[in-house]
Amino acid sequence: MLDLLELEQLAAFADCGTLSKAAENLHISQPTITRTMQHLEEVFGVPLFLRSKNHIALNETGWKAVEYARELLKDAKEAVEGVRAFDRSLHTITVSSCAPAPLWYLLPDLNESFPDMTISSSIKNNASVLEDLQSGICTLAVLPEEQVPEDHCSVPFLKENLSICVPPDHELAGHAELSFAELNGYNFLLGTRLGFWDDMCRKKMPSSRFLIQTDQFTMQELIRESSLPCFVTNLTAEDKETFGGRIIIPITDREAKVMFHLVFKEENKKYAERFV
Amino acid sequence: MLDLLELEQLAAFADCGTLSKAAENLHISQPTITRTMQHLEEVFGVPLFLRSKNHIALNETGWKAVEYARELLKDAKEAVEGVRAFDRSLHTITVSSCAPAPLWYLLPDLNESFPDMTISSSIKNNASVLEDLQSGICTLAVLPEEQVPEDHCSVPFLKENLSICVPPDHELAGHAELSFAELNGYNFLLGTRLGFWDDMCRKKMPSSRFLIQTDQFTMQELIRESSLPCFVTNLTAEDKETFGGRIIIPITDREAKVMFHLVFKEENKKYAERFV
DNA sequence: TATTATTACGTTAGGCGTAAAGATT
DNA sequence: AATCTTTACGCCTAACGTAATAATA
């Protein structure tokens, strides 16, 4: 039977050209590698080397053996990595969500219900979430109702309504409600990456600019100190403080009201059951 | 690093269900296989088994590891076989010919010129010979001039003219020459498998039947004792005796005169050089 | 009681490195 | 002289099997 350690020495010899350099590389003695090459010839049952008194080189068959050796070594490495990755996946719940808000409710819940599992989550746009779902990269996906693929299980999860938030003296402050059409052209502060909402806003308000703030504190300061409108939803959990005296005005468009669904494969039902 | 011997034990355990049976199968002791399983868990770095006091079974990850193990074992086996096959191919000249006659001249020549090579030959139809050539299965191919592929080297080798051979009292015996059209409808004795000629005759004489004789002696007897026509060519080396008093009549069709070419890849030029 | 996995233990085979030899440039 | 491969030799590890242990059905 082949021995991967021996094949590694063979590959090293192919790389180095001489047994001595290969031995040095692998931190073993020359005699050891000499013996290994002899043993490899025994195992393969055919000559692999051209020998002269103080020189050894691979013959044509030897090079072919090296090809196979490298392939096997790569496969063996991938096997170990594959098994480890599989084991990790058994202890990880991976959530891909199209928006941040659902995660605020989902993640604490999962953490509590499956305390010995690692919870890994990411926010991306609808298409990417779908990919993760189809490819099995994610265990649970959060998608708008309309995006739920037919061949997957799903449960309704949360409803989110988008509103904007302006200072009382803002020119929009008088409206009881607003449409994307009316908002188009205004520039907005955008708190964190919004996933789903991000795409939606850019699409519905193509003339608007979105001033993205990654820092939480900066964002709060700008909300307080500027008159730029920003977004809130019914799920936004910020303090009253954060928005100071700002006024919240609902957006009337159908698209501003979203029903998020939890989507998953049959085999991952157990992780979604408690949300049914 | 993984050890294929250990993986073999893992696969055996997966097959047998218990360590004892696996040990028995592999003719090793139970403690050995126990230790191996423990060591495999170390190497993979993740749990592979569900253990109770006197029971051990593969967990989900373990089964995944078994998958990889089987794959690696198969690959390793194929590597050894592949290297052996490659080595053999280096010491074998494989000839695929569309007709037998060229081999009568080619094989003795090759045997003499390359005494330490094994010569392996087969007769097949044009299409199969071409396949062998393209796929590299054969070192040298013998094909009719018209069939030589453009992307290969070739040298003219032999010219063969097909004739028929009938007893003096046969109704065709009076002709000085004949065409396939005139022969169509007669039944023929067919000595050995003719490769190229076989297809040709069936195509040009669709109404004829061919009585195939695999036994040399039977063939000779039938030639002597029946009046059925048979085929000969300018290359046929049989004794005058074999054909008794039979008369040989050339076939006039263009297709009955064939120029065989030796066809080969650049890399195998050395085996054809002496025929240039 | 029979079967199974695991641990303990003693033995041994085989693999490694050092040293030396032989050969080539 | 320096470099390289191979052989010789002795040590020592590590792998194996036997025997014992523990647990279960």
Side-chain angles (χ1 to χ4, degrees):
Chain A
M1 167 111 47
L2 289 180
D3 181 335
L4 293 175
L5 279 167
E6 293 190 341
L7 294 181
E8 193 172 47
Q9 293 181 32
L10 179 66
F13 171 51
D15 290 335
C16 300
T18 72
L19 294 186
S20 350
K21 283 190 193 124
E24 197 179 353
N25 254 340
L26 298 174
H27 307 108
I28 57 177
S29 67
Q30 290 99 330
T32 298
I33 206 168
T34 290
R35 276 190 297 263
T36 299
M37 296 305 114
Q38 291 165 345
H39 188 239
L40 277 170
E41 270 183 321
E42 271 181 42
V43 174
F44 277 108
V46 297
L48 302 175
F49 306 100
L50 297 166
R51 303 167 194 271
S52 50
K53 273 298 177 184
N54 74 338
H55 188 243
I56 182 172
L58 290 159
N59 66 17
E60 221 176 327
T61 312
W63 281 109
K64 179 65 84 170
V66 169
E67 266 183 51
Y68 279 113
R70 293 209 168 108
E71 190 64 29
L72 281 171
L73 289 167
K74 184 170 69 65
D75 291 346
K77 202 173 155 190
E78 284 172 6
V80 174
E81 284 165 5
V83 166
R84 285 180 185 163
F86 182 82
D87 178 72
R88 184 157 356 108
S89 79
L90 286 179
H91 300 107
T92 305
I93 304 173
T94 304
V95 184
S96 293
S97 176
C98 64
L103 294 180
W104 303 336
Y105 299 82
L106 189 53
L107 298 188
D109 230 300
L110 289 172
N111 266 315
E112 194 169 348
S113 310
F114 304 98
D116 50 357
M117 302 285 280
T118 301
I119 318 286
S120 158
S121 70
S122 58
I123 299 167
K124 17 187 110 172
N125 62 30
N126 290 342
S128 305
V129 173
L130 266 169
E131 268 177 40
D132 286 1
L133 187 64
Q134 314 272 10
S135 69
I137 287 178
C138 73
T139 320
L140 299 174
V142 178
L143 282 167
E145 185 159 28
E146 307 78 45
Q147 301 277 342
V148 175
E150 286 192 3
D151 56 342
H152 282 71
C153 312
S154 78
V155 295
F157 184 59
L158 273 181
K159 203 167 184 171
E160 186 167 36
N161 306 322
L162 194 64
S163 304
I164 66 156
C165 180
V166 293
D169 55 350
H170 193 277
E171 64 175 350
L172 291 170
H175 296 74
E177 51 183 37
L178 283 163
S179 67
F180 282 128
E182 291 171 293
L183 292 169
N184 190 19
Y186 286 94
N187 297 337
F188 294 88
L189 284 174
L190 219 58
T192 169
R193 179 153 167 64
L194 282 188
F196 168 77
W197 291 116
D198 193 300
D199 287 350
M200 156 93 61
C201 291
R202 289 174 199 276
K203 192 166 143 201
K204 304 297 286 185
M205 297 176 283
S207 305
S208 294
R209 299 283 298 272
F210 300 93
L211 315 177
I212 295 184
Q213 300 302 319
T214 50
D215 183 66
Q216 182 74 16
F217 178 77
T218 309
M219 180 68 177
Q220 286 185 18
E221 282 301 301
L222 289 174
I223 288 174
R224 214 180 339 259
E225 299 299 332
S226 82
S227 65
L228 282 163
C230 62
F231 295 101
V232 295
T233 79
N234 58 316
L235 301 177
T236 313
E238 263 89 5
D239 300 328
K240 280 287 172 209
E241 294 266 328
T242 307
F243 299 107
R246 286 197 172 211
I247 292 167
I248 292 174
I249 309 169
I251 301 175
T252 51
D253 300 60
R254 179 173 50 78
E255 292 89 343
K257 302 180 202 327
V258 174
M259 185 67 191
F260 291 114
H261 276 237
L262 219 48
V263 195
F264 45 91
K265 294 192 170 161
E266 171 73 20
E267 65 206 74
N268 293 319
K269 198 170 55 181
K270 57 183 170 295
Y271 300 116
E273 263 169 356
R274 56 182 288 95
F275 302 107
V276 177
Chain B
M1 165 110 50
L2 289 181
D3 181 335
L4 293 176
L5 279 166
E6 293 189 342
L7 293 181
E8 192 172 49
Q9 294 181 31
L10 178 66
F13 172 52
D15 290 333
C16 301
T18 72
L19 294 187
S20 350
K21 283 188 194 129
E24 197 177 351
N25 256 340
L26 298 175
H27 308 106
I28 56 175
S29 67
Q30 289 98 333
T32 298
I33 205 168
T34 290
R35 278 189 295 263
T36 298
M37 298 303 115
Q38 291 166 345
H39 187 238
L40 277 170
E41 269 183 323
E42 271 180 42
V43 173
F44 278 108
V46 297
L48 304 174
F49 306 100
L50 298 165
R51 303 165 194 272
S52 50
K53 272 297 178 185
N54 74 338
H55 187 243
I56 182 171
L58 289 159
N59 66 17
E60 220 175 328
T61 312
W63 282 110
K64 181 64 86 174
V66 169
E67 265 183 53
Y68 280 112
R70 293 208 168 109
E71 190 65 29
L72 281 172
L73 290 168
K74 185 169 69 62
D75 290 347
K77 203 174 152 188
E78 285 173 4
V80 175
E81 285 165 4
V83 167
R84 285 178 184 166
F86 182 81
D87 178 71
R88 188 164 39 245
S89 80
L90 286 180
H91 300 106
T92 305
I93 304 173
T94 303
V95 183
S96 294
S97 176
C98 65
L103 294 181
W104 303 335
Y105 300 83
L106 189 53
L107 300 188
D109 231 302
L110 288 172
N111 265 314
E112 194 171 346
S113 310
F114 304 98
D116 49 355
M117 302 286 280
T118 301
I119 319 287
S120 157
S121 71
S122 57
I123 299 167
K124 16 187 111 172
N125 63 30
N126 290 343
S128 306
V129 172
L130 266 169
E131 269 177 39
D132 287 0
L133 187 65
Q134 314 272 10
S135 68
I137 287 178
C138 72
T139 320
L140 298 176
V142 177
L143 283 168
E145 185 159 25
E146 307 79 45
Q147 301 278 339
V148 174
E150 287 190 6
D151 55 342
H152 282 71
C153 311
S154 79
V155 295
F157 185 57
L158 273 182
K159 203 167 186 174
E160 187 168 36
N161 306 321
L162 193 64
S163 305
I164 66 153
C165 178
V166 294
D169 54 349
H170 193 277
E171 61 174 351
L172 291 170
H175 295 73
E177 50 182 43
L178 285 162
S179 67
F180 283 128
E182 292 170 291
L183 292 169
N184 190 20
Y186 288 94
N187 296 337
F188 294 86
L189 285 173
L190 220 58
T192 170
R193 183 157 165 61
L194 284 189
F196 168 77
W197 292 115
D198 193 302
D199 288 350
M200 156 93 62
C201 291
R202 289 174 198 277
K203 193 166 145 203
K204 305 296 288 185
M205 297 176 283
S207 305
S208 294
R209 300 282 299 275
F210 300 92
L211 314 177
I212 294 181
Q213 299 302 318
T214 52
D215 183 65
Q216 182 77 13
F217 179 75
T218 309
M219 180 66 176
Q220 287 184 17
E221 283 300 300
L222 289 175
I223 288 174
R224 220 186 326 267
E225 300 298 332
S226 81
S227 63
L228 284 164
C230 63
F231 295 102
V232 295
T233 78
N234 59 314
L235 300 178
T236 314
E238 262 90 6
D239 303 324
K240 280 287 170 206
E241 294 266 327
T242 308
F243 299 108
R246 287 199 172 211
I247 293 166
I248 293 173
I249 308 167
I251 300 174
T252 52
D253 299 59
R254 184 173 46 78
E255 293 89 344
K257 303 179 200 330
V258 174
M259 186 67 191
F260 291 116
H261 276 238
L262 219 49
V263 195
F264 46 90
K265 294 188 169 161
E266 172 72 19
E267 66 206 73
N268 294 318
K269 198 169 54 177
K270 55 181 171 295
Y271 299 117
E273 263 170 359
R274 53 181 289 93
F275 302 107
V276 176

